[in-house]
Amino acid sequence: MTDTAVPVTTKKDWTSDQEVRWCPGCGDYSILTAVQMLMPELGVRREDTVFVSGIGCSSRFPYYMNTYGMHSIHGRAPAIATGLAVTRPDLHVWVITGDGDALSIGGNHLLHALRRNVDLTILLFNNQIYGLTKGQYSPTSEPGKITKSTPFGSLDHPYNPISLALGAEATFVARTHDMDRKHMMETFRRAHAHRGASLVEVYQNCNVFNDGAFEQITARDARPHMLIPLRHGEPIRFGPDGERGVVIDEGGARVVEVAEVGVEALAVHDEHREDPSLAFTLSRLATGPYTPTPIGVFRDVERV
């Protein structure tokens, strides 16, 4: 009789012998540590786990995981990972990508992987800049962004990755950030457990070319006031004492003072709602990473 028990592992077992080559202070280190710490808890084998990446700073990730992996080509990681996942459904396939890699040249591949509901766990590192090529604006950079490629300020309207994924009717969509390891690990755990296409947007600081892009909402003192936790089945409220909340009406989602409207007026989060329209409405609440921003799981539904 074959022993099918998964061996007990530690973070060290999932860490490769390669030198990590990111800029000192990069948010990628935090995400890498969160994943390496999570893997021993998932009950999976290293030889059954694959990390596929495209091009960019985030895409160095497979080198640092002691698993199978592929550093592929610009934007094509979802396509390559799709081929692997559909031919080897026994494997645990992760896609590591960035805002430039996934949403520019790779946009078409990402959308169709989500639409087809391929069993992939996609981590999208969003730092709102092209870091590897030294600081050009990206598809998520804000209008007016001054960079080497937009010296007079970007004229482009940015993507909202959460809205984009929900528009493609992805079955699992979530957001986390690199300053909260516990939140990252729990979000990644849920994404991995989901059967189908999972997309997690990770707000990630590029301290060299776009330092502090998310500081107004992710700084320790700012979080209670600016991050809106999404908890299934609970009224959507936030603030140090839960004094603020979110209502959804014909005008969309808006932030209110709970004392003025009452708890009964607040929207109750339903991540399992089949219709993605309310999740999409929540994804449009923040005008940028400088106003109160929902964080957590927006949608988690089953679809064959």
Side-chain angles (χ1 to χ4, degrees):
M1 182 177 178
T2 303
D3 181 11
T4 58
V6 177
V8 175
T9 58
T10 66
K11 174 181 178 289
K12 183 178 180 181
D13 295 311
W14 293 86
T15 303
S16 78
D17 61 357
Q18 298 300 298
E19 178 187 357
V20 182
R21 295 186 177 182
W22 286 314
C23 301
C26 176
D28 288 356
Y29 285 95
S30 178
I31 305 170
L32 175 64
T33 298
V35 172
Q36 290 173 336
M37 291 180 67
L38 174 66
M39 298 308 293
E41 302 178 10
L42 296 182
V44 299
R45 298 175 183 272
R46 290 179 297 140
E47 58 268 31
D48 294 335
T49 304
V50 186
F51 284 82
V52 181
S53 67
I55 295 296
C57 295
S58 64
S59 294
R60 296 178 183 270
F61 208 94
Y63 291 110
Y64 310 138
M65 296 298 301
N66 191 18
T67 65
Y68 287 107
M70 182 176 182
H71 188 173
S72 69
I73 54 180
H74 203 180
R76 272 62 176 183
I80 292 169
T82 293
L84 180 61
V86 299
T87 55
R88 289 290 305 275
D90 56 307
L91 298 179
H92 303 269
V93 184
W94 298 67
V95 174
I96 307 296
T97 186
D99 50 304
D101 184 56
L103 301 176
S104 185
I105 192 171
N108 191 48
H109 298 294
L110 177 67
L111 286 176
H112 288 293
L114 297 175
R115 177 180 67 86
R116 293 170 176 142
N117 202 32
V118 182
D119 193 14
L120 302 172
T121 305
I122 304 169
L123 307 186
L124 194 163
F125 299 14
N126 181 10
N127 55 22
Q128 298 188 328
I129 203 76
Y130 278 96
L132 187 68
T133 50
K134 308 301 185 258
Q136 297 82 9
Y137 84 116
S138 86
T140 58
S141 296
E142 69 276 16
K145 183 72 172 181
I146 295 175
T147 72
K148 295 175 182 178
S149 57
T150 52
F152 300 106
S154 171
L155 299 177
D156 289 353
H157 187 76
Y159 274 132
N160 179 322
I162 299 295
S163 299
L164 191 74
L166 290 167
E169 296 199 42
T171 52
F172 185 97
V173 182
R175 175 187 287 141
T176 185
H177 67 94
D178 64 3
M179 296 295 287
D180 189 337
R181 182 182 298 166
K182 181 179 179 181
H183 193 274
M184 278 193 291
M185 290 178 65
E186 183 55 32
T187 306
F188 298 162
R189 187 195 315 277
R190 290 198 55 191
H192 173 264
H194 180 77
R195 295 287 69 111
S198 303
L199 182 134
V200 180
E201 178 189 23
V202 187
Y203 283 163
Q204 175 258 322
N205 190 48
C206 174
N207 60 310
V208 174
F209 296 108
N210 202 23
D211 193 26
F214 306 104
E215 188 174 22
Q216 292 183 58
I217 64 172
T218 62
R220 185 175 298 276
D221 293 342
R223 292 176 212 169
H225 306 277
M226 300 298 284
L227 294 182
I228 305 173
L230 299 178
R231 301 185 180 99
H232 177 68
E234 296 184 14
I236 304 174
R237 60 192 303 178
F238 66 105
D241 299 309
E243 67 274 14
R244 308 185 78 190
V246 175
V247 298
I248 298 178
D249 51 29
E250 63 276 5
R254 56 191 175 89
V255 173
V256 296
E257 298 296 326
V258 177
E260 295 179 2
V261 302
V263 175
E264 63 279 359
L266 300 182
V268 175
H269 186 46
D270 183 3
E271 64 188 33
H272 302 316
R273 183 184 174 95
E274 192 65 32
D275 183 348
S277 59
L278 288 183
F280 186 87
T281 299
L282 287 172
S283 77
R284 310 304 297 174
L285 178 60
T287 56
Y290 36 78
T291 61
T293 301
I295 195 161
V297 177
F298 287 76
R299 189 178 196 224
D300 180 6
V301 298
E302 294 184 6
R303 186 177 79 233
V304 177

